[in-house]
């Protein structure tokens, strides 16, 4: 995605839609069709690639308003009280959408609700038009009872709505809830809705119908949605074994493993073996230290240049002490905004994210993968899976000789951290208190970890 | 197991010193995912004049550029080889048994060539370009693929808009060899009847029922709508993404380099210097040129290096900076002159001349890396309409190679002189190029292929599988034995279903 200079069309008159107008994504579908799963995942992805996105879950608004959920009867189509409240919630959510997109600098809002009637969707579309937003519908259609049952087990039984219910009770109530929507459900129609922009996802991604994609962001969203899947799998992230330059406290470069690093590589081989993973793919960067690590595994691996460590430009192979000595201004600027700071003739974390986007996309397509990479790279990938902000990303802890095992669960990711019991230097440098460009060297270097 | 590695001299790829034969041979891609081991047959489906050949050729050009060996097999061309004189639409009448036999033979011949290409000639993807409008024909192709262990991906183009169909006929059918001796009106009338012949038996793909288990994309109304079913792997997902981003709106792409820079004048490569005086003059000339072009909604893109941005600033129009458009990173050779490189790194200097496409500067990049870096730019260029890209020599060569279907071998030697705008306009199945020199003198930064390079690549060198190829010439020999003796023609030119004027296509006679 190009780094756009943020030029938004001025909101004038009837808000003419220029290229950078905000996008309103509207989820559509019966309950337990994966709408919230898709909303959250898409939001996470868009934020990671730098598009300010937020989801607005109308069910959450309802829970905030109606303190205690009693039963599915709230959702009966003739329950006037229920209908009134639900409409209010939708309106409140849309008000927040407007504030986010028109006042708080949001680019994409995901309106997560069933939106199963044409009437409701027309109301939302008009809202979008009035405010100068482009509207894109994402409908999930699924009739497979096994999938629906699995969804209910994964995310509904643990919902606050069913906090005081047994599982069977909850499941029965939820099935009745779904019935309430079925009669009035109007799926996006080839003819009636031919002028709308939308994607219809069928059977958890077996097939897709895509209509009138209008711009770059919609095209990216479609591509992303078509690449994700829900097959259980695990992603393993780790760094190369400790390198010669790590020992010396130097950054970057392209050295080989230290003796302890080689130990780690062997332990990693053992660990992978013990995990007994089906069809594990192994990816490395094109730097010696990750490849050496992979070589110890005795399995095929793929080299990706885009997994190479962040390019420190003029600071390559320096220690932090040397950077402080030769480039004190740069060193301070980096501490001020580590995410956006670009090394002279090098890269920033922001650049890294852009570089790594194809890796994330392919990770989404794949199943079991082990990625052997580098500190900054691993931070970026981890931030994607754990939904960390740009501020948090550059300070995520990714120590040497530690494997992070990520397993998707419910709406997020379970994280296990496994230290493989081979000592290594610490390469994590926390943000110092004093980030002023006039700070004395000691204060700049106070958080530098020990090294040879 | 010492994990000893050595770095390949040309591509700077780390490989183990002891080559253990037990491990599967690794293919070092610059861009990630391993290609699936099974080759893929893409099967086009649709009535005549629905853009099948247009999509086939464009897709093939894209896939070859990103390094996936791909080739089109157009059954119509096989037919033209066998049936010397096209008489009329009645050839295509479903009751014409003799003709049906011929047509089937042509399809089989094409499939035999597909098999050869994918099994013995290193092809990864074969595009089987024919109407394939009946289930029967598609089943035949599916059986063929199954026997050979090929994956199959269907691309169907459905369009009922008569104006689109008519416009396609005008653009590419009237000038077909089939209608060489006809007037436009006669040709149009005959072609419409030809379409009718197919319409009667047309069985569109039916992913809801009969074709539920097939991998396919249905393109409806020239891209307004898509139906995608069972995408199997990475390459199919890229194909779908590509097809969803291309369009047929007339538009123009302008490619140029920044104005002459200080470093250009000094003969230094890379770096981040500003424009020379002549470079600034060029920017002003560029501004004037654009005004004269009188374009609707021109987007302007630059790199994030000073010299392209300075050039864009003179245009006094909004522009977007893309880091991906930065010049090739010359690593340790940045800011050196070629003489200095030769003196300081004589081996690197020689290696680069030996294989300029694959050669990676130490701690820098190769053209191959550039292609990977530029792929999102190409994808966005496909989405856009009128765009001016102000970039750099190596970058411009990569982009140009995509539009003009140039191979990896030719790419690093394409001529992209300073102060010259290349204007690319899509036309028929290709791209028209106009070269406009803006009349401001500049140094020449082009280095011709050296004598060393002309000797050919080192056969011992390890190849990466990412190798842009130019789309191969279509296989014309029908390899049909049961016909009147004829010697298969060895014509190597492209189908002449193109306007008569001199188009710069995959034609080595053009100025590049």
């Amino acid at each position: 995605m190009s780094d756009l200079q943020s030029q938004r069309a001025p909101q004038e008159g009837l808000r003419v839609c220029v290229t950078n107008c905000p996008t309103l994504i509207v989820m559509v579908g019966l309950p337990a069709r994966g709408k919230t799963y898709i909303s959250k995942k898409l939001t996470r992805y868009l934020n990671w690639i730098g598009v300010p996105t937020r989801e607005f879950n109308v069910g959450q608004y309802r829970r905030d308003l109606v303190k205690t959920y009693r039963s599915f009867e709230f959702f009966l189509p003739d329950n006037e009280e229920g209908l009134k409240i639900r409409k209010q919630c939708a309106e409140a959510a849309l008000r927040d959408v407007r504030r986010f997109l028109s006042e708080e600098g949001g680019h994409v809002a995901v309106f997560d609700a069933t939106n199963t009637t044409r009437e409701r969707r027309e109301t939302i579309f008009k809202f979008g038009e009035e405010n100068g937003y482009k509207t894109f519908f994402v409908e999930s259609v699924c009739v497979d009872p096994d999938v629906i049952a699995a969804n209910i087990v994964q995310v509904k039984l643990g919902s606050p709505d069913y906090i005081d219910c047994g599982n069977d009770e909850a499941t029965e109530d939820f099935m009745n809830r779904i019935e309430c929507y079925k009669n009035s459900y109007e799926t996006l129609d080839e003819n009636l809705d031919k002028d709308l922009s939308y994607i219809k996802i069928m059977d958890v991604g077996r097939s897709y119908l895509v209509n009138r994609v209008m711009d770059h962001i919609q095209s990216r969203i479609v591509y992303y949605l078509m690449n994700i899947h829900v097959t259980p799998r695990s992603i393993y992230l780790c760094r190369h074994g400790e390198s010669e330059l790590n020992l010396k406290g130097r950054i970057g470069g392209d050295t080989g493993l230290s003796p302890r690093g080689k130990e780690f590589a062997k332990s990693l081989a053992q660990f992978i073996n013990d995990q007994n993973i089906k069809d594990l793919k192994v990816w490395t960067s094109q730097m010696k230290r990750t490849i050496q690590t992979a070589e110890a595994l005795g399995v095929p691996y793929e080299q990706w240049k885009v997994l190479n460590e962040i390019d420190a430009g003029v600071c390559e192979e320096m220690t932090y002490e040397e950077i402080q000595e030769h480039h004190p201004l740069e060193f301070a600027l980096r501490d001020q905004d580590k995410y956006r700071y670009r090394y002279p003739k090098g890269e920033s974390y922001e650049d890294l994210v852009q570089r790594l986007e194809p890796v994330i996309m392919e990770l989404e397509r794949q199943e079991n993968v082990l990625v052997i990479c580098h500190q900054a790279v691993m931070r970026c990938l981890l931030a994607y899976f754990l939904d960390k902000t740009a501020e948090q990303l550059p300070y995520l802890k990714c120590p040497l000789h530690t494997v992070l095992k990520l397993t998707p669960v419910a709406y997020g990711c379970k994280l296990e951290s496994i230290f493989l019991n081979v000592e290594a230097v610490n390469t994590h440098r926390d943000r110092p208190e004093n980030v002023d460009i006039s700070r004395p060297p000691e204060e700049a270097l106070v958080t530098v970890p020990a090294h040879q | 197991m010492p994990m000893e590695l050595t770095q390949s001299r040309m591509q700077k790829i780390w490989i183990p010193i002891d080559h253990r034969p037990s491990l599967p041979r690794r293919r070092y891609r610059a861009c990630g995912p391993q290609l699936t081991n099974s080759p893929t047959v893409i099967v086009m489906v649709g009535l005549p004049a629905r853009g099948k050949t247009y999509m086939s050729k464009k897709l093939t050009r894209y896939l070859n550029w990103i390094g996936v060996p791909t080739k089109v097999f157009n059954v119509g061309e096989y037919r033209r080889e066998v049936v010397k004189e096209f008489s009329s639409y009645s050839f295509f009448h479903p009751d014409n048994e003799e003709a049906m036999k011929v047509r089937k033979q042509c399809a089989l011949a094409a499939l035999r060539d597909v098999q050869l290409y994918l099994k013995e000639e290193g092809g990864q993807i074969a595009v089987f370009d024919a109407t394939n409008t009946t289930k029967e024909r598609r089943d035949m192709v599916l059986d063929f693929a199954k026997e050979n262990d090929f994956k199959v991906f269907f691309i169907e183009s459905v369009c009922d808009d008569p104006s689109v169909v008519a416009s396609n006929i005008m653009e590419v059918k009237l000038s077909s060899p089939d209608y060489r001796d006809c007037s436009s009106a006669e040709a149009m009338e005959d072609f419409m009847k030809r379409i009718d012949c197919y319409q009667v038996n047309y069985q569109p793909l039916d992913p809801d029922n009969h074709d539920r288990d097939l991998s396919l994309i249905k393109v409806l109304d020239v891209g307004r709508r898509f139906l995608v079913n069972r995408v199997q792997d990475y390459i199919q997902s890229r194909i779908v993404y590509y097809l969803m981003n291309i369009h047929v709106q007339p538009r123009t792409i302008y490619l140029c380099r920044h104005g002459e820079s200080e470093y250009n004048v000094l003969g230094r490569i890379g770096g981040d210097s500003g424009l020379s005086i002549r470079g600034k003059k060029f920017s002003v000339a560029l501004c004037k040129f654009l005004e004269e072009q009188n374009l609707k909604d021109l987007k302007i893109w630059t790199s994030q290096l000073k010299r392209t941005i300075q050039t864009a600033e003179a245009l006094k129009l909004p522009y977007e900076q893309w880091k991906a458009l930065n010049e090739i990173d010359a690593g340790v050779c940045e800011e050196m002159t070629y003489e200095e490189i030769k003196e300081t790194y004589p081996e690197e200097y020689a290696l680069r001349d030996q294989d300029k496409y694959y050669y990676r500067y130490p701690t820098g990049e190769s053209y191959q890396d550039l292609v990977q870096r530029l792929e999102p730019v190409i994808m966005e260029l496909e989405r856009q309409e009128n765009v001016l890209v102000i970039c750099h020599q190596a970058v411009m060569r990569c982009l140009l190679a995509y539009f003009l279907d140039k191979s990896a071998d030719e790419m690093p030697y394409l001529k992209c002189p300073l102060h010259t705008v290349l204007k690319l306009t899509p036309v028929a199945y290709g791209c028209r190029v106009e070269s406009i020199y803006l009349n401001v003198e500049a140094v020449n930064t082009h280095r011709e292929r050296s004598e060393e390079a002309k000797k050919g690549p080192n056969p011992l060198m390890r190849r990466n599988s990412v190798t842009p190829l130019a789309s191969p010439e279509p296989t014309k020999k029908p390899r049909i034995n049961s016909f009147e003796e004829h010697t298969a023609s060895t014509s190597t030119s492209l189908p002449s279903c193109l306007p008569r004027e001199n188009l710069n296509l995959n034609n080595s006679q053009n100025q590049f």
Side-chain angles (χ1 to χ4, degrees):
Chain A
M1 193 137 166
S2 69
D3 16 358
L4 302 166
Q5 303 175 322
S6 38
Q7 301 152 6
R8 288 263 291 272
Q11 307 285 307
E12 42 164 65
L14 222 230
R15 286 130 305 232
V16 174
C17 224
V18 191
T19 48
N20 289 335
C21 44
T23 303
L24 174 60
I25 296 177
V26 180
M27 302 304 299
V28 180
L30 293 173
R33 262 58 177 182
K35 297 185 300 299
T36 302
Y37 175 83
I38 292 170
S39 299
K40 287 182 182 275
K41 210 169 155 75
L42 188 55
T43 299
R44 178 162 58 90
Y45 168 71
L46 290 171
N47 277 315
W48 186 77
I49 62 170
V51 180
T53 305
R54 191 182 294 173
E55 28 134 10
F56 298 82
N57 178 292
V58 175
Q60 197 49 51
Y61 282 75
R62 189 260 306 156
R63 272 184 281 276
D64 290 341
L65 195 61
V66 181
K67 292 301 167 196
T68 344
Y69 173 77
R70 275 191 226 107
S71 82
F72 74 92
E73 284 168 11
F74 180 82
F75 294 95
L76 280 169
D78 53 4
N79 179 344
E80 291 215 15
E81 182 64 31
L83 283 171
K84 215 175 92 180
I85 293 175
R86 289 156 70 195
K87 184 150 191 255
Q88 271 181 315
C89 290
E91 284 165 1
L94 284 179
R95 275 197 299 277
D96 286 346
V97 162
R98 182 182 16 231
R99 190 171 41 240
F100 177 65
L101 294 181
S102 300
E103 295 168 38
E104 293 173 3
H107 283 200
V108 179
V110 184
F111 186 68
D112 179 18
T114 49
N115 298 313
T116 39
T117 61
R118 190 155 286 111
E119 186 201 346
R120 170 57 56 89
R121 296 194 292 267
E122 262 163 23
T123 311
I124 300 170
F125 186 81
K126 271 204 198 71
F127 164 84
E129 273 192 323
E130 284 161 14
N131 287 284
Y133 309 149
K134 285 187 185 171
T135 304
F136 186 71
F137 294 90
V138 177
E139 180 174 18
S140 173
V141 175
C142 181
V143 296
D144 183 341
D146 293 331
V147 172
I148 296 163
N151 288 352
I152 295 178
V153 168
Q154 275 261 311
V155 294
K156 299 296 179 186
L157 300 186
S159 153
D161 289 347
Y162 296 113
I163 206 160
D164 298 316
C165 290
N167 283 354
D168 289 336
E169 224 186 303
T171 304
E172 194 188 328
D173 184 272
F174 201 85
M175 296 303 288
N176 283 327
R177 197 150 113 179
I178 298 176
E179 285 305 311
C180 294
Y181 286 89
K182 269 195 183 160
N183 282 338
S184 57
Y185 182 18
E186 295 167 292
T187 187
L188 285 169
D189 181 81
E190 190 174 319
N191 293 307
L192 296 170
D193 299 310
K194 68 177 170 30
D195 291 329
L196 298 180
S197 296
Y198 66 84
I199 178 171
K200 206 188 248 221
I201 303 170
M202 268 117 22
D203 297 328
V204 204
R206 173 188 64 86
S207 63
Y208 305 88
L209 216 146
V210 180
N211 198 60
R212 287 193 191 267
V213 167
M214 290 207 281
D215 60 16
H216 176 94
I217 195 71
Q218 290 181 15
S219 149
R220 293 291 287 275
I221 289 166
V222 164
Y223 184 49
Y224 182 73
L225 291 176
M226 288 177 53
N227 280 317
I228 60 180
H229 67 77
V230 292
T231 312
R233 49 80 169 254
S234 288
I235 293 169
Y236 299 81
L237 303 180
C238 72
R239 290 166 66 188
H240 52 83
E242 182 190 69
S243 73
E244 300 287 353
L245 283 185
N246 285 147
L247 279 177
K248 302 198 176 108
R250 294 186 175 282
I251 66 173
D254 194 11
T255 48
L257 300 180
S258 69
R260 296 195 299 195
K262 289 179 182 171
E263 275 303 306
F264 165 73
K266 292 190 197 136
S267 299
L268 184 63
Q270 184 64 48
F271 171 76
I272 292 298
N273 227 354
D274 294 340
Q275 287 279 304
N276 203 17
I277 309 157
K278 172 178 103 101
D279 293 330
L280 178 71
K281 295 263 165 82
V282 178
W283 297 352
T284 69
S285 70
Q286 282 191 343
M287 297 184 133
K288 188 175 183 183
R289 50 201 189 276
T290 56
I291 295 167
Q292 263 187 310
T293 309
E295 276 292 320
L297 305 179
V299 298
Y301 58 89
E302 270 177 57
Q303 299 186 13
W304 292 65
K305 186 174 191 279
V306 292
L307 284 172
N308 280 8
E309 182 57 314
I310 192 171
D311 183 355
V314 300
C315 298
E316 276 284 317
E317 304 199 41
M318 290 183 161
T319 61
Y320 288 117
E321 291 85 347
E322 284 166 2
I323 300 175
Q324 169 59 32
E325 197 187 318
H326 300 287
H327 306 280
L329 173 63
E330 296 295 327
F331 200 42
L333 287 174
R334 188 161 203 249
D335 282 336
Q336 283 176 23
D337 191 349
K338 198 173 174 189
Y339 183 75
R340 269 162 220 95
Y341 171 81
R342 187 185 279 167
Y343 281 105
K345 304 202 179 161
E347 294 177 299
S348 62
Y349 272 92
E350 192 171 25
D351 295 328
L352 256 195
V353 162
Q354 188 182 348
R355 184 166 33 102
L356 288 168
E357 199 269 351
V359 176
I360 288 296
M361 197 62 88
E362 190 55 22
L363 276 172
E364 286 295 346
R365 288 195 55 78
Q366 290 290 342
E367 295 188 14
N368 294 319
V369 187
L370 163 65
V371 185
I372 305 172
C373 52
H374 305 266
Q375 185 166 245
V377 169
M378 189 163 159
R379 284 170 171 156
C380 291
L381 298 178
L382 196 59
Y384 166 75
F385 288 109
L386 301 184
D387 204 12
K388 299 295 180 185
T389 63
E391 283 60 49
Q392 299 168 311
L393 190 162
Y395 296 102
L396 293 175
K397 281 204 165 72
C398 295
L400 287 165
H401 300 186
T402 306
V403 178
L404 294 184
K405 179 177 174 178
L406 298 156
T407 317
V409 73
Y411 292 139
C413 238
K414 183 173 102 188
L415 172 67
E416 289 167 65
S417 172
I418 306 118
F419 173 58
L420 290 195
N421 228 352
V422 179
E423 291 294 315
V425 295
N426 173 26
T427 57
H428 185 90
R429 181 177 165 265
D430 274 314
R431 189 175 196 264
E433 264 198 57
N434 191 347
V435 298
D436 207 73
I437 56 177
S438 59
R439 65 192 175 175
E442 321 83 69
E443 290 182 36
L445 296 169
V446 67
T447 55
V448 173
H451 58 85
Q452 284 171 2
Chain B
M1 196 199 351
M3 292 173 246
E4 287 307 310
L5 300 179
T6 183
Q7 195 178 44
S8 72
R9 286 156 67 230
M10 184 66 72
Q11 295 175 281
K12 315 299 188 291
I13 303 274
W14 288 103
I15 46 181
I17 285 180
D18 53 323
H19 294 266
R20 277 153 289 173
S22 52
L23 284 175
R25 204 175 62 96
R26 284 175 284 274
R27 292 152 81 191
Y28 301 117
R29 297 185 60 89
C31 59
Q34 280 273 354
L35 289 172
T36 67
N37 291 323
S38 309
T40 304
V41 179
I42 294 178
V43 181
M44 304 304 296
V45 180
L47 294 173
R50 262 60 178 179
K52 296 185 300 300
T53 302
Y54 175 82
M55 281 194 283
S56 299
K57 286 177 182 269
K58 207 170 158 73
L59 187 57
T60 298
R61 177 162 58 88
Y62 168 72
L63 291 170
N64 278 313
W65 186 74
I66 63 170
V68 181
T70 307
K71 187 170 173 178
V72 179
F73 297 83
N74 177 292
V75 176
E77 282 168 28
Y78 283 73
R79 189 260 306 158
R80 273 184 283 275
E81 278 300 299
V82 172
V83 182
K84 287 302 169 195
E85 285 299 317
F86 175 73
S87 51
S88 79
Y89 77 92
S90 58
F91 180 85
F92 293 97
H93 201 280
D95 296 339
N96 185 340
E97 283 199 27
E98 181 63 32
M100 290 294 265
K101 225 174 83 179
V102 172
R103 291 160 67 195
K104 188 163 187 207
Q105 296 277 33
C106 289
L108 290 172
L111 286 179
R112 276 198 295 277
D113 284 343
V114 163
Q115 183 180 43
L116 231 106
Y117 177 65
L118 296 180
K119 289 208 134 132
E120 295 173 36
E121 294 172 9
Q124 187 66 37
I125 302 193
V127 183
F128 186 63
D129 179 17
T131 49
N132 296 312
T133 40
T134 60
K135 285 183 198 166
E136 187 202 343
R137 172 53 56 85
R138 295 194 291 265
D139 283 340
M140 180 181 97
V141 180
L142 282 166
D143 289 337
F144 160 83
K146 191 153 181 225
E147 278 163 27
N148 288 284
D149 221 16
F150 300 150
K151 287 186 182 173
V152 180
F153 187 71
F154 290 91
I155 300 178
E156 182 176 23
S157 174
V158 177
C159 181
D160 296 318
D161 182 340
S163 58
V164 173
V165 174
S167 136
N168 287 352
I169 297 176
M170 302 242 301
E171 183 97 344
V172 295
K173 300 294 182 187
L174 300 187
S175 49
S176 155
D178 290 346
Y179 297 109
R180 174 172 44 223
D181 302 315
C182 294
S183 75
S184 292
E186 282 171 331
M188 174 71 81
E189 194 189 330
D190 186 273
F191 201 86
M192 296 302 286
K193 294 203 186 120
R194 189 149 115 178
I195 297 177
D196 287 341
C197 293
Y198 285 89
Q199 190 104 51
V200 171
N201 293 323
Y202 182 20
Q203 295 165 304
L205 285 170
D206 181 18
D208 289 332
N209 296 301
H210 182 267
D211 300 313
R212 231 186 121 77
D213 292 328
L214 298 183
S215 298
L216 63 96
I217 179 171
K218 236 189 223 267
V219 180
L220 299 143
D221 295 329
V222 204
R224 182 155 306 166
R225 206 172 152 71
F226 301 89
L227 214 150
V228 180
N229 198 58
R230 293 198 190 271
V231 168
Q232 296 175 304
D233 59 20
Y234 171 74
I235 202 67
Q236 289 179 17
S237 137
R238 292 305 297 185
I239 289 167
V240 165
Y241 185 45
Y242 183 73
L243 290 176
M244 288 176 53
N245 282 316
I246 60 180
H247 67 78
V248 293
Q249 297 311 314
R251 49 81 169 252
T252 307
I253 293 170
Y254 298 84
L255 302 179
C256 72
R257 291 166 66 188
H258 51 83
E260 182 191 68
S261 73
E262 305 280 358
Y263 266 13
N264 287 147
V265 173
L266 296 171
R268 296 192 171 282
I269 65 171
D272 195 11
S273 57
L275 299 180
S276 68
I277 304 224
R278 298 193 300 192
K280 289 175 184 169
K281 266 184 82 181
F282 163 73
S283 313
V284 173
L286 183 61
C287 181
K288 184 152 175 286
F289 169 75
L290 290 177
E291 277 164 18
E292 287 160 10
Q293 292 285 300
N294 201 16
L295 294 153
K296 169 184 99 100
D297 294 331
L298 177 72
K299 293 264 167 77
I300 300 175
W301 297 351
T302 70
S303 70
Q304 284 191 343
L305 294 172
K306 187 175 181 186
R307 50 201 187 276
T308 56
I309 296 168
Q310 264 186 308
T311 310
E313 279 289 323
L315 308 178
K316 298 195 273 294
L317 293 165
Y319 59 90
E320 265 178 58
Q321 298 185 16
W322 292 66
K323 187 171 192 281
L325 284 171
N326 280 9
E327 183 55 315
I328 192 171
D329 183 355
V332 300
C333 299
E334 276 283 317
E335 305 194 47
M336 293 175 113
T337 63
Y338 286 113
E339 292 76 42
E340 285 166 2
I341 299 173
K342 193 168 183 184
E343 204 186 302
T344 323
Y345 302 105
E347 195 191 343
E348 296 297 326
Y349 186 79
L351 283 171
R352 187 160 205 250
D353 279 342
Q354 262 177 50
D355 202 336
K356 199 172 173 187
Y357 180 77
Y358 287 102
Y359 171 81
R360 186 186 278 168
Y361 282 104
T363 75
E365 293 177 304
S366 60
Y367 271 89
Q368 182 182 49
D369 295 327
L370 258 194
V371 164
Q372 186 191 353
R373 193 176 10 109
L374 288 169
E375 200 272 347
V377 176
I378 287 296
M379 196 63 88
E380 190 56 22
L381 274 172
E382 285 295 346
R383 288 198 56 79
Q384 292 289 343
E385 295 191 16
N386 293 323
V387 187
L388 163 66
V389 185
I390 305 173
C391 54
H392 305 267
Q393 184 167 246
V395 168
M396 189 163 157
R397 285 170 170 154
C398 290
L399 299 178
L400 196 59
Y402 166 75
F403 289 108
L404 300 187
D405 206 11
K406 298 294 178 186
S407 68
D409 194 58
E410 299 167 278
M411 185 194 293
Y413 297 101
L414 294 177
K415 280 202 168 74
C416 295
L418 287 165
H419 298 188
T420 306
V421 179
L422 293 185
K423 178 174 174 179
L424 301 159
T425 322
V427 72
Y429 293 137
C431 233
R432 186 173 96 208
V433 188
E434 287 168 62
S435 171
I436 304 121
Y437 172 58
L438 291 193
N439 226 354
V440 178
E441 291 287 320
V443 295
N444 172 25
T445 56
H446 186 86
R447 286 177 73 239
E448 287 293 349
R449 221 181 268 269
S450 73
E451 286 314 306
E452 268 301 305
K454 286 180 187 157
K455 288 183 196 159
N458 181 347
L460 296 175
M461 207 169 50
R462 202 182 267 261
R463 286 292 184 194
N464 190 307
S465 56
V466 178
T467 313
L469 307 167
S471 304
E473 294 301 330
T475 305
K476 306 282 291 262
K477 295 184 201 168
R479 288 173 226 257
I480 292 170
N481 301 315
S482 60
F483 275 88
E484 359 153 304
E485 317 102 48
H486 74 282
T487 29
S489 88
T490 49
S491 132
T492 52
S493 64
L494 285 169
S496 47
C497 39
L498 301 156
R500 297 281 172 232
E501 69 259 23
N502 182 26
L503 288 172
N504 291 335
L505 295 167
N506 324 6
N507 191 321
S508 52
Q509 280 100 22
N510 69 33
Q511 57 186 291
F512 299 101

